[in-house]
Amino acid sequence: MSFSYLPHTEAERAEMLEAIGVASMDDLYQGVPERLRDFSLEAIPTAKSELEVTRLLTDLAGENRSANQFASFLGAGAQRRFSPSAVDWILHRSEFLTAYTPYQPEVSQGTLQVIYEFQTMIAQLTGMDLANASMYDGSTATPEAAFMAMRVTKRNKVVVASSVHPEYREVLSSYAVGPGLQVVQAPLSGGFIDRDRLRALMTDEVAGLIVQVPSFFGGVEEGRELAEIAHAAGALFIVIADPTTLGVLEAPGAYGADIVIGEAQAFGNPVSFGGPYVGYMACRDKLSRQLPGRIVGATVDSRGQRCFTLTLQTREQHIRREKATSNICSNQALNALAATVYMEVMGKEGIFELGNVSIQRAHALAAAICEVPGFSLALPGPFFNEFVVRSPLPVPELLGKLREEGILGGIALSGWYPELSDCYLVSVNELNTPADLDRYVATLKALTASAAVGAR
Amino acid sequence: MIPQDLKYTKSHEYVRLSGDEATIGITDFAAEQLGDVVFVELPEVGRVLKKGESFGVIESVKAVSDLYSPIGGTVVAINESLNDEPSAINEDGYGDGWIIKLQAASEADLADALTPEQYQALIGA
């Protein structure tokens, strides 16, 4: 295989193959199935017209099924939510859609104003003094918060609750390797953090305690006690909070959080094959110098007119890169814009209603599911709009059958928590109509009845 | 005026040696050149510094600079009031605006430090 437009000579290829310890190109590709290696260009169909290609691709795309074609009860950190049409209209204005990042920031007053509004509303929702211009996503915001705690306390260990999203914990562990951060998991009891065992872990070596409220299982922890445990050890209290719950739940700042992070995808951003998402990060004023990313401030120009400016900029992007405290040099400006417009259109009342409807419907569905023979809630205690169901039928089979009935019933937990292999996580929000809830329960009843018949 | 009882570095730190305790800050000249100081990143107490080692960062409205220790020793005190009032460095750099104190400082490290006269010559005052 030699292509004239690939610049490597035979000698260079031989050298590279030797370096990785294989004898030939065929050996290198031995993991690729034979039928693909023998692929011939002859197999590609002849040219088609634009119209034919459009039809072909439309047919192919038609084989996909979107979550919107189902009654979806999937959650676990990714949320299909209602988004007001104003979000997309503003998002697609060319002034916003084309701007990657404000390189001549003060010229981009509109972009800076949006970021300022995003920061302001995130700070208000979380009860913090300030927020940055956004992060890649909630998972990467987690290690950034841990590193902040490291820098502030000059300690290099964090304790993270096992009820934090398992993938967030994986990202945290991956990031931790570089700077030598030690990550310790705090064990659970009935889905909630085991307070006694947590106290034992919170030594004077711990920089921060990371908890998620509501937890990955939807459970609402009593935050004040956790804050006290963290602060008694001289550690920062870091809360991962789903902002859709903060219209109803107390702001983490009110119960003692020092840093609040999370995922704002649910605000105006679609569930789109897993991204792009938009993380947020907020903290107390005294930690502002340790906040990664950028912060936009409001000021007045030489003529006394209100304007916006990058108040704190990342070292990582401009000066003194070698002193960078974080690898975050971009924010998710367009996704944060969607979240900003969403919050502005919904308003305080809207965000309260959103949380309220979600919690009411989730509790109604949970109660109804528990009345179906064999089903129960696996983890007792207060929950918001997500909860863990223990199923009498094998979970993959149950979820498969629900899907056949047009219901995405939940997410199996066995991959993350083997001890919960007979359980799955159900998420309910404003898009799940009362009729959807009824159909869910009726379908469960029908499935268990037929399973019982089958068993006889 | 440059205090006559101190030693200086080319990077504009001063050191006041009293027994084996060294107090370190930046000179008025440096503070004036930086403009309003808005933030000082301090080291942790107990850290052992070598002569010439960077121990912190000073940020002003104009610039961000590293701070270098003119002398080796163990950090025994940091001026935590700078967290709230970094402007002390502009207002009273040789007094309330001190930055760190080192213990077991080695006077020998100061052999090549600048005298007040040499520092004066350096800044052309």
Side-chain angles (χ1 to χ4, degrees):
Chain A
M1 265 198 292
S2 184
F3 297 100
S4 56
Y5 49 84
L6 292 183
H8 301 121
T9 64
E10 283 302 330
E12 284 167 339
R13 280 197 200 101
E15 197 183 326
M16 287 189 280
L17 290 172
E18 197 193 338
I20 57 174
V22 292
S24 66
M25 293 294 273
D26 279 345
D27 284 356
L28 179 65
Y29 289 126
Q30 65 178 342
V32 178
E34 199 71 38
R35 63 185 175 84
L36 296 176
R37 274 193 279 168
D38 288 345
F39 185 80
S40 157
L41 290 178
E42 305 294 319
I44 294 180
T46 51
K48 289 192 187 302
S49 69
E50 180 180 344
L51 185 59
E52 286 170 315
V53 172
T54 305
R55 281 181 182 145
L56 178 68
L57 293 180
T58 305
D59 287 348
L60 280 175
E63 290 182 27
N64 287 328
R65 299 200 63 192
S66 140
N68 291 326
Q69 294 166 269
F70 293 84
S72 174
F73 295 86
L74 306 182
Q79 302 184 43
R80 185 188 65 131
R81 289 273 185 174
F82 167 72
S83 179
S85 58
V87 172
D88 261 9
W89 279 102
I90 295 173
L91 201 62
H92 287 98
R93 287 190 59 97
S94 58
E95 302 93 315
F96 288 125
L97 193 59
T98 58
Y100 156 60
T101 194
Y103 275 121
Q104 294 180 59
E106 280 67 40
V107 176
S108 317
Q109 282 292 307
T111 299
L112 293 186
Q113 180 175 345
V114 165
I115 294 174
Y116 182 80
E117 290 174 11
F118 174 80
Q119 293 170 176
T120 304
M121 289 185 285
I122 291 294
Q124 287 172 344
L125 269 177
T126 56
M128 291 282 106
D129 297 320
L130 75 160
N132 72 8
S134 75
M135 311 287 282
Y136 293 140
D137 57 27
S139 72
T140 51
T142 308
E144 293 294 344
F147 294 161
M148 267 181 81
M150 251 178 112
R151 295 195 293 273
V152 171
T153 61
K154 304 197 162 61
R155 302 172 178 183
N156 64 350
K157 191 175 184 179
V158 290
V159 173
V160 58
S162 301
S163 54
V164 167
H165 195 307
E167 288 171 354
Y168 286 27
R169 282 183 283 131
E170 277 182 42
V171 170
L172 174 64
S173 298
S174 301
Y175 268 55
V177 175
L181 175 69
Q182 198 188 337
V183 180
V184 180
Q185 316 268 340
L188 306 178
S189 170
F192 288 83
I193 301 166
D194 184 319
R195 301 298 204 265
D196 290 336
R197 286 154 87 189
L198 174 65
R199 278 195 186 87
L201 289 173
M202 294 301 293
T203 63
D204 60 7
E205 296 173 314
V206 176
L209 168 63
I210 306 174
V211 305
Q212 188 172 2
V213 185
S215 74
F216 178 69
F217 307 116
V220 182
E221 294 271 4
E222 210 294 285
R224 259 177 201 79
E225 191 185 6
L226 295 170
E228 279 162 20
I229 293 172
H231 292 152
L236 298 189
F237 183 45
I238 300 163
V239 177
I240 303 169
D242 173 354
T244 66
T245 67
L246 293 178
V248 175
L249 292 181
E250 190 174 25
Y255 56 80
D258 300 294
I259 304 172
V260 185
I261 50 177
E263 176 57 62
Q265 170 267 323
F267 284 173
N269 288 275
V271 179
S272 176
F273 300 98
Y277 281 4
V278 50
Y280 73 83
M281 187 164 198
C283 69
R284 303 251 183 230
D285 187 38
K286 64 174 196 252
L287 305 177
S288 61
R289 290 274 165 177
Q290 297 297 341
L291 193 62
R294 55 171 71 101
I295 299 163
V296 172
T299 183
V300 287
D301 67 10
S302 60
R303 285 173 290 175
Q305 301 174 117
R306 185 170 192 245
C307 62
F308 302 92
T309 182
L310 281 185
T311 304
L312 289 178
Q313 298 193 48
T314 50
R315 286 177 187 169
E316 34 285 18
Q317 188 152 15
H318 301 292
I319 52 166
R320 293 166 62 82
R321 298 174 80 119
E322 75 285 3
K323 300 275 183 185
T325 49
S326 157
N327 78 333
I328 294 285
C329 54
S330 284
N331 57 309
Q332 294 287 88
L334 195 65
N335 301 85
L337 168 65
T340 306
V341 178
Y342 178 94
M343 287 188 274
E344 284 165 352
V345 172
M346 297 293 276
K348 269 187 189 172
E349 279 296 314
I351 292 174
F352 166 76
E353 281 300 327
L354 177 83
N356 195 29
V357 165
S358 302
I359 195 171
Q360 300 295 345
R361 290 187 184 167
H363 283 252
L365 180 62
I369 288 176
C370 287
E371 283 173 18
V372 181
F375 286 87
S376 60
L377 292 192
L379 304 171
F383 63 93
F384 200 83
N385 67 318
E386 293 188 270
F387 54 91
V388 178
V389 172
R390 177 160 279 135
S391 163
L393 299 174
V395 170
E397 182 191 325
L398 176 77
L399 295 179
K401 288 194 168 156
L402 283 171
R403 191 162 58 239
E404 285 168 21
E405 299 298 324
I407 298 167
L408 299 174
I411 290 171
L413 294 173
S414 57
W416 290 308
Y417 298 91
E419 69 275 22
L420 295 176
S421 60
D422 58 345
C423 298
Y424 63 99
L425 183 69
V426 179
S427 179
V428 185
N429 65 39
E430 77 283 359
L431 291 183
N432 302 115
T433 62
D436 283 343
L437 308 189
D438 291 346
R439 193 155 68 88
Y440 190 117
V441 176
T443 310
L444 281 188
K445 280 182 182 155
L447 288 174
T448 44
S450 65
V453 170
R456 258 181 292 170
Chain B
M1 266 310 287
I2 293 171
Q4 296 299 303
D5 58 335
L6 308 178
K7 296 277 191 164
Y8 298 90
T9 65
K10 285 180 184 162
S11 49
H12 308 284
E13 290 89 6
Y14 70 78
V15 54
R16 175 182 290 122
L17 201 60
S18 165
D20 71 344
E21 186 181 89
T23 303
I24 295 162
I26 65 163
T27 66
D28 275 356
F29 173 79
E32 196 175 306
Q33 293 293 308
L34 284 169
D36 291 342
V37 173
V38 293
F39 181 65
V40 186
E41 191 182 296
L42 298 163
E44 67 258 54
V45 171
R47 186 168 149 195
V48 178
L49 293 175
K50 289 203 265 301
K51 180 189 171 185
E53 192 174 341
S54 166
F55 67 81
V57 175
I58 186 163
E59 282 187 40
S60 74
V61 290
K62 279 198 274 187
V64 182
S65 313
D66 286 312
L67 295 162
Y68 299 97
S69 184
I71 188 167
T74 305
V75 179
V76 288
I78 55 174
N79 188 354
E80 292 194 44
S81 65
L82 294 178
N83 288 332
D84 297 322
E85 286 182 43
S87 58
I89 287 178
N90 296 101
E91 286 151 18
D92 187 13
Y94 298 114
D96 288 347
W98 63 277
I99 299 174
I100 58 169
K101 288 185 199 291
L102 301 181
Q103 193 84 53
S106 160
E107 196 176 351
D109 279 356
L110 292 178
D112 58 354
L114 302 179
T115 63
E117 295 74 29
Q118 287 169 324
Y119 185 67
Q120 185 124 19
L122 177 78
I123 63 178

